[in-house]
Amino acid sequence: MTAETLPVLTRKDFVSDQEVRWCPGCGDYSILAQTQKTMPDFGVPREKIVFISGIGCSGRLPYYMATYGFHTIHGRAPTIATGLKAARPDLMVWVITGDGDALSIGGNHVIHAMRRNVDIRLIMFNNQIYGLTKGQASPTSEIGKKTKSTPQGTVDRPIVPLSVALTAEATFVARSVDTDTAHMQETLLAAGHHRGSAFVEVLQNCVIFNDDTFAPFTAKDVREDRMLVLRHGEPLVFGKERDKGIRLDGLRPVVVELGKEWSVADLLVHDETAADPTLAYILSRLTYPDFPVPVGVLRRVQAPTHDALIEAQMAEALAKRGPGDLGKLLLAGETWTVS
Amino acid sequence: MTAETLPVLTRKDFVSDQEVRWCPGCGDYSILAQTQKTMPDFGVPREKIVFISGIGCSGRLPYYMATYGFHTIHGRAPTIATGLKAARPDLMVWVITGDGDALSIGGNHVIHAMRRNVDIRLIMFNNQIYGLTKGQASPTSEIGKKTKSTPQGTVDRPIVPLSVALTAEATFVARSVDTDTAHMQETLLAAGHHRGSAFVEVLQNCVIFNDDTFAPFTAKDVREDRMLVLRHGEPLVFGKERDKGIRLDGLRPVVVELGKEWSVADLLVHDETAADPTLAYILSRLTYPDFPVPVGVLRRVQAPTHDALIEAQMAEALAKRGPGDLGKLLLAGETWTVS
Amino acid sequence: MTTQSTAEPRPQVQELDRVTIRFAGDSGDGMQLTGTQFTRTTAAFGNDIATLPDFPAEIRAPAGSLPGVSGFQISFSSNDIHTPGDAPDVLVAMNPAALRTNLADLPPGGALIVNADAFTANNLQKAGYAENPLSDGSLKDWNLFEIPISTLNARALDGLAMTSKQVDLTKNFFALGLMFWLYERSMEPTLRWIEEKFSSKPVIAEANARALKAGYAFGETTEIFHTHYRVKRASLPPGTYRNVTGNEATALGLVAAAQLAGRQMFLASYPITPASDILHQLSTYKHFGVKTFQAEDEIAAIGAAIGAAYGGSMGLTSTSGPGIALKTEAMGLAVMVELPLVVIDVQRAGPSTGMPTKVEQSDLLQLMHGRNGDAPIAIVAPATPAECFDYAIEAWRIALRYMTPVAYLSDGFLATGSEPWKVPSVADLPSIAVEGWTDRETFRPYRRDPETLARPWAVPGTPGLEHRIGGLEKADLSGNISYDPENHHRMTQLRHQKIANIANDIPDLQVYGPSRGDLLILGWGSTYGAIRSAVERLQAEGHAVAHAHLRHLNPFPRNTGEVLGAYRRVLMPEVNMGQLRLLIRARYLVDAVGLNKVRGKPYRIAEIEEAARLLLTEGAAQ
Amino acid sequence: MTTQSTAEPRPQVQELDRVTIRFAGDSGDGMQLTGTQFTRTTAAFGNDIATLPDFPAEIRAPAGSLPGVSGFQISFSSNDIHTPGDAPDVLVAMNPAALRTNLADLPPGGALIVNADAFTANNLQKAGYAENPLSDGSLKDWNLFEIPISTLNARALDGLAMTSKQVDLTKNFFALGLMFWLYERSMEPTLRWIEEKFSSKPVIAEANARALKAGYAFGETTEIFHTHYRVKRASLPPGTYRNVTGNEATALGLVAAAQLAGRQMFLASYPITPASDILHQLSTYKHFGVKTFQAEDEIAAIGAAIGAAYGGSMGLTSTSGPGIALKTEAMGLAVMVELPLVVIDVQRAGPSTGMPTKVEQSDLLQLMHGRNGDAPIAIVAPATPAECFDYAIEAWRIALRYMTPVAYLSDGFLATGSEPWKVPSVADLPSIAVEGWTDRETFRPYRRDPETLARPWAVPGTPGLEHRIGGLEKADLSGNISYDPENHHRMTQLRHQKIANIANDIPDLQVYGPSRGDLLILGWGSTYGAIRSAVERLQAEGHAVAHAHLRHLNPFPRNTGEVLGAYRRVLMPEVNMGQLRLLIRARYLVDAVGLNKVRGKPYRIAEIEEAARLLLTEGAAQ
Ligand SMILES: Cc1ncc(C[n+]2csc(CCOP(=O)(O)OP(=O)(O)O)c2C)c(N)n1
Ligand SMILES: Cc1ncc(C[n+]2csc(CCOP(=O)(O)OP(=O)(O)O)c2C)c(N)n1
Ligand code: SF4
Ligand code: SF4
Ligand SMILES: [Mg+2]
Ligand SMILES: [Mg+2]
């Protein structure tokens, strides 16, 4: 069946019969909806799509997708996805994970899946908290955060998920926000169309244990002034009035007002395809309130995928040695015959 | 006992009675010798020093130090060091690990120890191979490397240890080479005097399974032209004749010849104390043959250590609530009496 | 107001020995809070009590859905009781889903109090009811009280500056007030609690207080309930009591252990249901010298605990079954380096993620055998919530005295269930202090105490004792690496012997009932209450049935074999497929019979009774 | 040349039934290679053989040191033999350290061939000899041949463009040549090997060839050895043979399983001694459709294997004990989602890092019980190196037919030891193919095959079968999440029953010897050879002793209880503290006696014989 002859699927085709069980108002609903909406766009038949998740509130997502799905164990989804994709290059594999699942217990697997350029799209729901276990600090919780496990505030400095993904050599790195449905669709689409290891952070509101953490910059009335939407090839302009931008002072990014001392021409220009990850790295480290929070694609580069490299070696071995002959193999080496 | 009244220790005081058991010619010998040599400089009594290692050839080092030592399990040394240091802020804790131990099985623990700014000095022996298990690819092995486990060459792209340490927010990041004993001593001294999470990569030759991997740039006759010794506050000059340097073209580092178009004034100036890790990140990504390989301290910044933050909370709790009274605690909440 | 009560007129106040109430409603309805408040009041009143919360794994499943139902059962009595009751006498169902999932447990004739307002078409559909059970006659076997709780409650809150959603959130206190009236409880403790809790939100405080009082008044003034009930104080042994859950008692026991040992405690943990609360609670005890550390995963947690133990602290880690699975390699390291360590497993239903909030006893063999190599450790398991206090101390006593990892097995039922605890006086608690080693002359890292076989605890910072340990086999005495065949054999035996010797240092297995007879019911952990109650009933009928309950699972008390041999049959109820039974059979070659129900719920007394009767009659037929 | 031979003049050629030789020298001396070459030649000659390599964990410990000694023992015979020999007849010691660590094993009168050149002051000191044993008379009980191997060898290589260090590296081939002469072996296979191996380094090839021939010539021409020996071909059953180690046979069995199942195999592994060679070998079989993946750790490895299994491949992971400890959580997931998976454990001495290169059987209980919850899996364990081939296939047969994880237990002795293997014809191998599910109409993710209770394998990519699985408890049939108490009980029982049912599908336990009698020796795994030999000896003396060896450890063959019941006593030798014994006692209530030596070495026949005799006489005294 080629893409042409495929029945045209719609969002509804990707909604499973399972009742959705997140807290009312949870940001996960929006991520699920956007995921279901973007699926038809890939032209991949439903049976060829697999959602693999770890444990956490986010981990429930596969149950709600009418595709194949595997709700695995805490932190290990990338490993299962790696094996599946290596065994079955024909499948489109998504990994659904949370900030604890991906960066606390599962940090190492994420890094290794990324560095291998495993052709998976890993969507990390970052609510900066452990939701399912009822509110402990996560590796993205801000220092000093008071939680059930850290009543005097956590003493651990957070890590920056996007920087981690970049350093792990992910070939696609992006960020979006649960409340911006259009942007999320755009981001999921870009991730879905990428071939190779894609890391997408979605800032997600946990209404129960970390409500409104992102509101200071994602709230409707402020978001244009406090967020930076990255567009390939375009200068880093932001603000309701498009009157602010980011330029480099040596290696230091600075926010400047446009119109007076600085013009758009002075600004950094985004290049998501830059071979060198430095620009993306600098962007990944912009945080509120010193900077607007960047969303969009930070990096998108091409590299041979893990499964393709494995298949190439399989083909090479086959070409060099011919299809394996079990009888011959068993009799290889020194043998002797007793009669 | 204050530092003044301490008996002056010498290298010999740090040599244990255990026979050293590495392959003849292994780079580990040199690292051990430099470690023993630098110890007296810290003015820390022997009993206050602890070496904790994982599994691998490198993991044997603690047996050879006449300090306290704990040879733990594969990849987990940072966790044990974290607990020890949190429980015992008075100790000087070193972690000895290998590229497989630290970045394959133990990658996540390294990252979390660094982000917490645990006051440990982690020395990673990078021989780009699994030594103890007799020669399989490690996460720092170059792509295409043929090893016992990858007869057609590994398909995994390597990760850059220094970039990982920087992204993990280590407050001290440095690199040295087993063959340059003076530089190694200098580096170990700097690490030893740092307070906070220190990550030191030592390029180490495995004579048996990966001999001469680093020789193309560390060999005596070429090293000045192919390595870049970082010095705080100094421009990035290198070369036997000190005739080459590194300047930035936008965000892109480029090698330039000095004297013609460019002079020392055009070069990047190293700043190991920069609050922003971008410069260090760029340096961490310079690789041979495109660039000289940087050695020295990439980053050294101050931040409260994990143990200090914990002690502060202990003190705060004590100040607020007074020393815990067990009798009162047991009787807290609603009680009733039966007589 | 409509009521279909079929209750006969009864006297105004009736005395009862024991009552079991179950509150059930949506997760958003505050059932756990309602139950807890009823429990506190009842405990403080002086009844013996036992509680059983039952809640979904989802933080907040969709309102009105079947998986969203949350329940809390409390049994209270004027006698000594051991379980939260096999079946409720009263079921309070706040919505159709709660009715549907709980009704089967309510015996015919039981009182069924429902919030009639919640039986809307929408809610009925979510609960999967085609017809409204309140009107289709299907509830005729129960004593049904239909009360429009939402409406009545809203009316009581009239005039407060609150949204209707906020108002609705207080209806559980209306129900609570009603139950307080029905069982003659005082509102005072709850009113005080409301005042403290909402001190900064006076409107909310006022609303909750009004709701509570309205419910109480409703009982008093309407004639729906022809009577109310009195359950007298229990005649517990004299002392000061408080109500504790197992997790609370565990945390208190741990702090006590640290004080008794005179050492810093260091808990390194990774959150997991139902163990997280131990981490939460201990993290508030910093002024007791307790350090807590939330690690990046379970492996890091046990690693940090071992590091702390190496440094001379009381290294501790807490988790549930899936977390134990990750800790086993490091537990083996602790066995090899012989450091004291306590590993807490609050068991839940498995395998794999299983049913995270449900009870099971299925990690015993994992803790007994789940390590590479022959790597024995000691295991203790408290039997009741209050006992968790004692066994937290006992775990530490063994760990410190024998320089060994000790597993402490609790479970979801113990952890969240509660009972009155007679608070001990600190002076009566045992001292469990051990000295660190300091003497240079006699120091050998693996020289053993002749009695306990414990090696010295020589912590970094001690001058002159610098030495190296690790996971490779250690030479006897010196602790250096050794590949010597005889040494490995000897060290393996020493590690076994050290654990086996603990048997000399623990109390004999106690028997409740005749010291020989037809049947011994042998249990461990949270099955205690159900077994004891079943045995009491059977004994009352004259059967020669006894109960023994193991708290030390490795090693077993020395008289265990003797006890087992004194009965014709041995029955072993476990909430697993027979894990302790396997160990008992292997060790004592006794043909113990298993009762193995794994339903994510504690045993009902009747289930054990029935199994026991079966064995007793079998015997009679022989 | 000095020789202190005390050998009596003997005839030129003497015939022997069996000879056991041990080569011992520094790790740098190439002893493993020497042993392997002797083995290949001897196997190809047609003797029955058994080998036992013994090497240090260090890659290359300091030259001349005691921990640096590497050994290789081979026993070869004209009869059927089962072990590499209790004690060597000949010890070749290339340096003082090798002499010191191995001499105790050489019985008095045994031949001791030493490289006299290596007995320098420096080497003597490293080996801890105060006096030179060659001259202090301490070796008078042995038949000592002092040969200046280094010097003689260097002389033979004279004129080659080599450094003296390079020359010295060939001296092991001199020793090998000498042994070839002594036991009438042909040099041809080794000369061919040299030619191939060093085809690009003609000087080295020449040097090794010369060394070999010089050693041979030395035996022939000097009069040190008054005789040489002949060990005739063994009369093995007709067929084509090759020599295999357990790891080789395992790898071949796995490839065969993939071909027989007609599926892609996917091995995900993390290196660890002594399992790594399986990864190494399988990574050269890509043209057989075998994919291999070196993961970042053991957890990732099993995760990837499960992912591959989910995708329809034969997901496989291989490791040793510490790695198993890390895989247990994921094994529990595989139990819950009921996917086929083979987990290979090449056991080594524990606990913890233990003694990585030494043999032990101490992971059985870890694999049996080391998971959270009740999570049964099947376990198989080959008994000899050659059997590894069959049981790799058997593991896969069970995994595929029952949709279950299967543990395959090998150990360090099986893995590196070798024996002749009668190569089967491919046509005679069983088909183990199973079909994936494709039918939409009848598909339910957890509908079971009525016979095997296996659920359907419905892999992604199959249209119309889209469904979700996971580690939470699954509803019967639908596989949806379920917290239903009855469902959990039923599913727990189904998971147990599925594994228990495998007993209907495996051969009965075979008994070697009388079908009833005084003593049954029951073993498993690599103790096979020693037990069989001991039993043969005892039977030869007329004792009613039998041997049974379990290859299926979970479930047990159906007749196991019956077999056990037919003997007065049961003895269970294990290289652990009694792990199988625990399971056997628990299951069959048989008072099996353990023989438990954990020395990092295989049993000697005499050890088992002695334990058996003790039980036999005990019986007689009764
Ligand atoms: C091995 C293991 N450890 C711990 C847990 C408990 N647990 C479940 S989810 C979770 C963290 C969830 O946090 P996150 O990944 O941020 O997901 P969220 O719920 O916030 O979406 C934890 C600790 C578990 N299920 N398994
Ligand atoms: C849990 C576990 N897995 C695997 C091993 C086997 N193992 C020992 S060291 C090692 C890797 C060593 O590589 P590296 O860290 O680079 O150290 P090196 O020997 O090169 O110094 C491995 C895989 C082990 N000991 N434990
Ligand atoms: S706890 Fe938070 S993340 Fe989880 S479902 Fe509720 S709102 Fe969403
Ligand atoms: S194997 Fe390599 S790293 Fe290990 S001791 Fe030998 S030379 Fe050093
Ligand atoms: Mg989260
Ligand atoms: Mg290495």
Side-chain angles (χ1 to χ4, degrees), chain A residues 309-329:
Chain A
L309 290 166
I310 292 176
E311 292 305 324
Q313 292 198 342
M314 298 293 286
E316 182 195 323
L318 206 61
K320 262 203 197 141
R321 310 171 67 177
D325 176 330
L326 183 60
K328 272 202 196 135
L329 179 71

Side-chain angles (χ1 to χ4, degrees), chain B residues 16-18 21 46-52 60 62-74 76 79-91 105 108-110 112-113 116 306 310-311 313-314 317-318 321-327 329-339, chain C residues 40 43-44 46 189 192 236-243 252 255-256 259 264 266 284-291 293-297 299-300 303-304 306-308 310-311 313 329-330 333 337 339 389 420-421 423-424 426 458-463 465-472 480-481 483:
Chain B
S16 83
D17 61 352
Q18 297 296 296
R21 293 200 196 153
R46 220 163 49 166
E47 70 270 15
K48 292 272 193 180
I49 301 178
V50 186
F51 278 80
I52 297 186
R60 292 290 183 124
Y63 292 112
Y64 312 138
M65 298 296 302
T67 61
Y68 281 90
F70 195 170
H71 181 214
T72 69
I73 45 180
H74 195 32
R76 318 301 175 185
T79 71
I80 287 158
T82 297
L84 176 61
K85 184 70 194 183
R88 292 288 306 277
D90 60 315
L91 301 174
I105 191 167
N108 203 39
H109 305 306
V110 170
H112 285 273
R116 294 188 181 111
H306 190 235
I310 292 175
E311 292 305 324
Q313 292 198 341
M314 299 292 285
L318 207 59
R321 311 172 66 176
D325 177 331
L326 183 60
L329 179 69
L330 301 187
L331 288 166
E334 245 112 339
T335 60
W336 68 97
T337 302
V338 175
S339 47
Chain C
R40 292 171 69 238
R192 263 203 319 275
L236 298 170
T240 299
Y241 285 79
R242 65 184 279 197
N243 186 52
L252 291 173
V255 182
Q259 298 269 308
Q264 168 181 288
F266 186 88
T284 64
Y285 295 153
K286 294 211 172 56
H287 55 306
F288 283 91
V290 176
K291 286 180 181 166
F293 168 62
Q294 181 184 319
E296 60 269 27
D297 63 18
I299 299 176
I306 291 173
Y310 176 57
S313 287
E329 191 200 4
L333 175 66
V337 296
L339 283 171
F389 179 83
W421 171 48
V423 182
V426 173
V459 307
T462 318
L465 305 193
E466 296 83 0
H467 67 286
R468 275 67 50 192
I469 57 173
L472 287 164
N480 289 333
I481 300 173
Y483 289 99

Side-chain angles (χ1 to χ4, degrees), chain B residues 226-301:
Chain B
R226 300 187 181 167
M227 293 177 72
L228 169 68
V229 181
L230 302 172
R231 301 251 170 246
H232 181 59
E234 292 184 15
L236 303 183
V237 177
F238 67 103
K240 233 176 241 131
E241 317 294 338
R242 310 283 299 159
D243 57 348
K244 284 172 280 196
I246 297 199
R247 63 172 284 276
L248 269 193
D249 176 11
L251 289 171
R252 214 165 47 88
V254 279
V255 172
V256 295
E257 307 250 337
L258 296 179
K260 290 173 229 163
E261 197 180 345
W262 307 104
S263 79
V264 170
D266 297 309
L267 300 183
L268 251 177
V269 173
H270 184 43
D271 177 7
E272 61 190 36
T273 62
D276 189 286
T278 306
L279 170 60
Y281 188 80
I282 291 174
L283 292 173
S284 76
R285 299 191 60 91
L286 301 182
T287 46
Y288 180 80
D290 296 337
F291 292 97
V293 174
V295 292
V297 179
L298 279 82
R299 182 167 212 229
R300 184 159 55 87
V301 295

Side-chain angles (χ1 to χ4, degrees), chain B residues 57-58 98-101 125-132 138 140 204:
Chain B
C57 294
S58 58
D99 45 327
D101 196 56
F125 297 17
N126 185 5
N127 53 15
Q128 301 192 347
I129 198 84
Y130 284 9
L132 191 64
S138 97
T140 57
Q204 173 248 325

